[in-house]
Amino acid sequence: MFGTFGNGRRPVVLTLVEAVVIEVSAEAAWTGGAFRHALRLVRLRPELHPLEISPPTGTSGNALPE
């Protein structure tokens, strides 16, 4: 078990996976560092490493742990 989500809910089993880079199609609308609308998968980018990628302009933070 990795932990629980929410107050009083049952524990949730999580599977850790290796980070990969994907290309997505998205609107430019951001709220709190997250897209406000659904993203569409364009393609997998195996030639890129996750640490080589920067967040889109106008956003803050990085989804990867340091």
Side-chain angles (χ1 to χ4, degrees):
M1 301 289 181
F2 192 86
T4 60
F5 294 90
N7 189 13
R9 293 189 179 155
R10 296 183 317 155
V12 176
V13 178
L14 299 179
T15 302
L16 300 178
V17 298
E18 185 175 337
V20 296
V21 176
I22 60 170
E23 184 176 336
V24 296
S25 172
E27 290 187 29
W30 283 84
T31 299
F35 287 103
R36 290 192 334 198
H37 304 287
L39 305 179
R40 288 180 219 172
L41 176 65
V42 175
R43 63 184 169 141
L44 181 64
R45 298 294 304 267
E47 74 279 10
L48 299 174
H49 188 276
L51 295 177
E52 297 173 344
I53 307 301
S54 299
T57 305
T59 66
S60 61
N62 191 339
L64 295 175
E66 305 226 354

